[in-house]
Amino acid sequence: MVVGERIGRGNTADIYALGAKQVLKVFREPKLLDLERNISNAIEELAVGAPIFYGTVETDGLTGLAYERILGPSMLEILLGKPEKAAEYGRQLAQLHTKIHGVKATGRLESIKSRLTYMISGIRHVGFEPLREVIESRLSKLPGGDHLCHGDFHPGNVLISQRGPVVIDWMTAVCGPAQADVARTIIILRHAVLPEELSEVVIQTFGQLRTILLQTYEDTYLELTGYSREEIAKWELPLMAARLGESIPEEEQRTLLDIIQRQLN
């Protein structure tokens, strides 16, 4: 099968067309291929409606992971052109997330507490060192869980295809409490900074719609599940800390670090 043009670029990998119905994900760090392959095998077995995983492919001098190609824009792309859909998509996000959390993943994936502990231990952000020990202590006291957690669930990872919404990019999937996964989504919807290369109009549009999107998502999720805001909020501190170790803009890093410091003072 012939590799076509590059159709996407993320923090860790490039996405190429592979024939007419597949894509090839090529990692910049080879060790990430094995990590995602194991996760993708688990997701395939759990049958959650993710893009079909075809395994490792070597072709045209590239080695990567092959997936079903889902045709359609992301929910985020649609929102930036049609901000009036914010409430509708907020409800749809909550419904999709509730469905994911209905799947049990015990023994299939790493626990979210283990993943967060590892990420927090490796953060070398200026100003974080005095906070590390108390955050690790609070994380250790939080409960475990057996729900499937996407780990990076937001409108940019939901494609609107002819067969309906499809959740993509499961590399961060873990096993744990659903409340933790929801807290991660809330942090992203509330604080994520869009890439600088986007136009000022696009950035302003997202700034206007994100409040409605977040509020509708949160209200709908709580209504569907019966969880409380307090249960979710307990996870925000370690999740914000772990996000400092990701490739996020400096503006977002400063915002999160400021919130962490205020919560601990």
Side-chain angles (χ1 to χ4, degrees):
M1 198 173 294
V2 178
V3 175
E5 65 178 343
R6 189 176 71 185
I7 57 176
R9 183 174 180 83
N11 290 330
T12 60
D14 294 315
I15 309 296
Y16 296 88
L18 185 63
K21 297 183 179 181
Q22 297 182 28
V23 297
L24 186 68
K25 188 171 185 178
V26 179
F27 296 88
R28 295 186 202 99
E29 292 187 36
K31 65 180 182 180
L32 294 178
L33 185 147
D34 290 333
L35 173 65
E36 178 157 336
R37 179 173 54 205
N38 292 336
I39 292 172
S40 294
N41 281 327
I43 296 301
E44 186 79 5
E45 292 171 4
L46 291 170
V48 295
I52 298 169
F53 177 53
Y54 297 105
T56 304
V57 169
E58 296 183 27
T59 182
D60 289 351
L62 296 174
T63 300
L65 300 178
Y67 295 91
E68 173 189 10
R69 185 172 185 176
I70 306 298
L71 298 177
S74 72
M75 190 178 281
L76 177 60
E77 290 171 318
I78 296 174
L79 279 169
L80 293 175
K82 298 181 178 180
E84 67 274 10
K85 284 184 168 286
E88 174 190 342
Y89 279 174
R91 287 190 290 271
Q92 194 169 110
L93 275 174
Q95 292 162 355
L96 285 169
H97 219 178
T98 302
K99 184 177 179 180
I100 289 171
H101 294 155
V103 176
K104 299 302 174 78
T106 306
R108 302 290 187 92
L109 296 165
E110 180 185 9
S111 77
I112 192 168
K113 291 184 66 173
S114 174
R115 174 78 58 81
L116 290 174
T117 298
Y118 173 77
M119 293 177 70
I120 292 169
S121 71
I123 294 172
R124 298 295 178 261
H125 194 281
V126 176
F128 183 75
E129 194 59 42
L131 313 174
R132 191 189 314 275
E133 186 175 345
V134 66
I135 292 172
E136 289 176 337
S137 175
R138 291 197 183 186
L139 173 61
S140 69
K141 296 182 176 73
L142 290 171
D146 59 0
H147 299 277
L148 172 62
C149 297
H150 181 277
D152 197 27
F153 185 80
H154 56 75
N157 278 336
V158 180
L159 301 185
I160 306 301
S161 71
Q162 287 188 338
R163 75 184 195 214
V166 179
V167 182
I168 63 169
D169 202 2
W170 289 83
M171 184 180 185
T172 52
V174 287
C175 178
Q179 297 95 320
D181 206 28
V182 174
R184 162 82 179 187
T185 296
I186 289 172
I187 290 168
I188 292 173
L189 293 180
R190 184 177 289 146
H191 300 298
V193 175
L194 293 179
E196 292 182 354
E197 59 265 25
L198 294 177
S199 71
E200 187 63 29
V201 172
V202 167
I203 293 173
Q204 288 180 356
T205 298
F206 186 69
Q208 293 165 358
L209 67 84
R210 73 192 305 165
T211 301
I212 297 173
L213 181 70
L214 171 58
Q215 194 62 59
T216 310
Y217 162 79
E218 189 174 2
D219 288 347
T220 304
Y221 188 89
L222 295 177
E223 181 181 344
L224 289 171
T225 63
Y227 293 141
S228 69
R229 284 185 171 83
E230 291 72 24
E231 290 177 280
I232 294 169
K234 291 177 181 178
W235 285 93
E236 291 185 0
L237 183 65
L239 284 160
M240 285 189 290
R243 190 156 169 78
L244 291 173
E246 299 176 32
S247 299
I248 59 175
E250 288 186 13
E251 178 186 346
E252 187 177 345
Q253 289 184 16
R254 289 194 298 270
T255 297
L256 294 178
L257 187 59
D258 181 62
I259 294 171
I260 292 169
Q261 290 171 332
R262 283 190 278 112
Q263 286 193 6
L264 292 179
N265 289 335

